[in-house]
Amino acid sequence: MASKLMNTYGRLPVAFDHGQGVWLWDKNGTKYLDALGGIAVNSVGHAHPRLVKAISDQASKLIHCSNYFQIGMQEEVAEKLVEHSGLNAVFFCNSGLEANECAFKIARLYGHDKGIEVPHIIVMKHAFHGRSIATLSATGNPAVRKGFAPYTEGFIHVDENNVEIVKELAKERKDIVAIMVEPILGEGGVIPLEVSVMQELRAICDENDWLFMCDEIQTGMGRTGKWFAHQWAEIKPDIMTLAKGLGGGVPVGAVVVSEKANILKPGNHGTTFGGNPLAMRAALETIKIMEDEKLPENAAKVGKKLKKDLSKSLNGFSGVLEIRGKGLMLGIVLDRDAHDILEPALKAGLTLSVTAGNVVRIVPPLIMNEAEADELVKRITPVIRSFLAQPKV
């Protein structure tokens, strides 16, 4: 029977039934090591007993009510995010795309308040910020953008790590109000921005009274070994967007702002579902688990070992160009399109993804221990070896 679903995903031939920790089981009882984590979402693993209990308890009390009323747990989650980021205030939404849309609105309002009629935001050529028209316009990938013109005006795309072009733009144009970066470009191929570049871009924003915005949707919430990836550069953004790992699997997005960027007023922005009681209970418990189990520190330790062991295990494979990333956000860069590696990986009991065509992305739950990291290396090495032994297409 023909599927009644729209044909928006190239799905793999497996349906999962349940999970536990870093493991998944399909409907036939086959066990898989989850190196994808729902695309960096299942930060505390599958079926964490504390998160399950919290969600179940909240569902029995109150799942949703409107932002017309006070939702106390929003304050609690906001306090946690402000505490860990050193920023000033939080807006809650449902997804990373929505968080980035809000960030763009703040930047435009900031520009209009300065008398700039058409505010512009500098973004990176290989960035991915979402699939709405505005976030797509800020995204650089031609394959993702193709077919959806006209795009929203107001975005200037520059090469990553090219600070000089940003300095030139600062001299030439008076309509720029912000820069947005991903500390590690996830969909762009797990490409880390150099610490010095992050610091220089922050300084340029200060010199020109621009907002510095970090899209931490994939890199945030402990993924790279610190609560937020920009902290490796010892800087603070004016706007930070979060989602993915924030709710442990329950959809939660957030925009965290400095005092300078805390300019939205009632009527400027809003959401029906954002910050509802169920989402906030999930986010609050996820953050508490991360604190109690020291998951950012675990991501740093296990990620360092995993990167080292992968480098050693794959050393000498002529088709492996590089292993890059930080913490538990790693990319194995191959010399060819790697999408055909996904089904062999499944047969080896391993879930992962391919991004930017040739980069095998590894973003497992942050609870992964060293023994599980060893198992990941054990499973992925022969898969990559076999894949690279085939003729290059």
Side-chain angles (χ1 to χ4, degrees):
M1 188 174 74
S3 173
K4 298 301 185 287
L5 296 172
M6 291 177 68
N7 188 28
T8 52
Y9 303 103
R11 289 188 168 96
L12 292 165
V14 63
F16 295 113
D17 180 73
H18 64 281
Q20 184 67 55
V22 300
W23 299 95
L24 288 165
W25 285 261
D26 67 19
K27 292 182 178 295
N28 298 317
T30 305
K31 186 179 179 181
Y32 303 80
L33 179 58
D34 186 8
L36 180 59
I39 316 180
V41 168
N42 299 107
S43 48
V44 299
H46 301 283
H48 193 291
R50 284 177 54 180
L51 184 58
V52 170
K53 182 179 179 182
I55 293 171
S56 300
D57 177 66
Q58 188 59 45
S60 72
K61 294 177 180 177
L62 185 64
I63 292 176
H64 177 79
C65 68
S66 172
N67 280 298
Y68 286 165
F69 311 104
Q70 295 181 21
I71 300 173
M73 278 184 291
Q74 286 190 10
E75 293 287 352
E76 294 182 70
V77 180
E79 285 177 9
K80 288 287 188 183
L81 293 176
V82 166
E83 173 191 343
H84 288 297
S85 68
L87 298 178
N88 181 258
V90 184
F91 171 82
F92 291 108
C93 51
N94 308 285
S95 67
L97 178 156
E98 292 175 51
N100 283 339
E101 287 271 4
C102 179
F104 297 153
K105 286 181 70 174
I106 293 171
R108 287 186 170 191
L109 182 61
Y110 177 78
H112 286 299
D113 287 347
K114 294 172 68 175
I116 298 172
E117 186 175 347
V118 184
H120 281 66
I121 300 167
I122 294 175
V123 292
M124 305 295 129
K125 278 190 176 178
H126 292 94
F128 180 89
H129 296 300
R131 295 180 184 270
S132 68
I133 292 300
T135 55
L136 191 67
S137 301
T139 292
N141 188 333
V144 175
R145 290 162 58 96
K146 185 179 180 181
F148 300 105
Y151 306 113
T152 302
E153 67 175 330
F155 296 102
I156 304 168
H157 296 261
V158 303
D159 287 320
E160 294 80 35
N161 293 319
N162 188 342
V163 176
E164 295 307 312
I165 186 65
V166 178
K167 290 179 179 178
E168 288 300 315
L169 286 167
K171 293 176 183 177
E172 296 169 3
R173 302 185 61 149
K174 302 302 179 185
D175 58 355
I176 298 171
V177 296
I179 298 174
M180 177 174 264
V181 302
E182 296 169 274
I184 300 177
L185 290 88
E187 303 302 319
V190 193
I191 304 170
L193 284 188
E194 296 174 13
V195 165
S196 61
V197 169
M198 296 274 287
Q199 292 169 337
E200 286 190 77
L201 292 177
R202 172 72 270 187
I204 292 170
C205 287
D206 290 338
E207 290 164 8
N208 293 277
D209 198 27
W210 298 347
L211 298 176
F212 184 61
M213 310 196 296
C214 281
D215 178 338
E216 292 256 15
I217 290 158
Q218 194 166 150
T219 56
M221 300 310 297
R223 173 63 46 191
T224 68
K226 290 187 182 290
W227 278 93
F228 310 109
H230 68 264
Q231 292 172 333
W232 289 104
E234 299 182 336
I235 58 172
K236 289 182 185 178
D238 297 296
I239 301 176
M240 173 175 65
T241 55
L242 301 171
K244 289 193 180 292
L246 178 54
V250 173
V252 186
V255 183
V256 191
V257 297
S258 66
E259 186 174 359
K260 179 179 181 178
N262 188 11
I263 59 175
L264 292 178
K265 303 288 188 244
N268 286 156
H269 199 57
T271 170
T272 296
F273 294 106
N276 75 25
L278 184 67
M280 290 297 93
R281 185 71 182 273
L284 184 60
E285 193 62 35
T286 297
I287 293 171
K288 288 180 177 179
I289 292 168
M290 290 183 64
E291 292 172 336
D292 294 344
E293 298 185 8
K294 295 180 168 43
L295 294 188
E297 294 88 339
N298 186 67
K301 183 180 76 168
V302 176
K304 183 177 181 180
K305 169 185 165 55
L306 181 58
K307 187 176 183 181
K308 179 181 177 182
D309 290 351
L310 284 170
S311 297
K312 182 178 179 181
S313 177
L314 299 176
N315 183 41
F317 287 26
S318 61
V320 178
L321 303 181
E322 183 183 4
I323 298 172
R324 62 193 180 208
K326 204 165 188 65
L328 286 174
M329 183 176 179
L330 300 176
I332 303 170
V333 187
L334 304 183
D335 67 351
R336 65 198 69 180
D337 187 277
H339 285 93
D340 287 344
I341 206 170
L342 296 177
E343 286 202 42
L346 271 183
K347 290 177 181 176
L350 188 62
T351 70
L352 38 79
S353 72
V354 170
T355 185
N358 67 321
V359 182
V360 178
R361 174 172 50 183
I362 298 172
V363 282
L366 304 185
I367 60 168
M368 174 172 275
N369 60 36
E370 293 187 354
E372 291 160 343
D374 289 340
E375 184 64 25
L376 196 164
V377 175
K378 180 181 176 182
R379 294 188 183 208
I380 201 171
T381 301
V383 171
I384 292 178
R385 182 189 298 271
S386 176
F387 176 73
L388 292 176
Q390 299 172 22
K392 187 176 177 180
V393 179

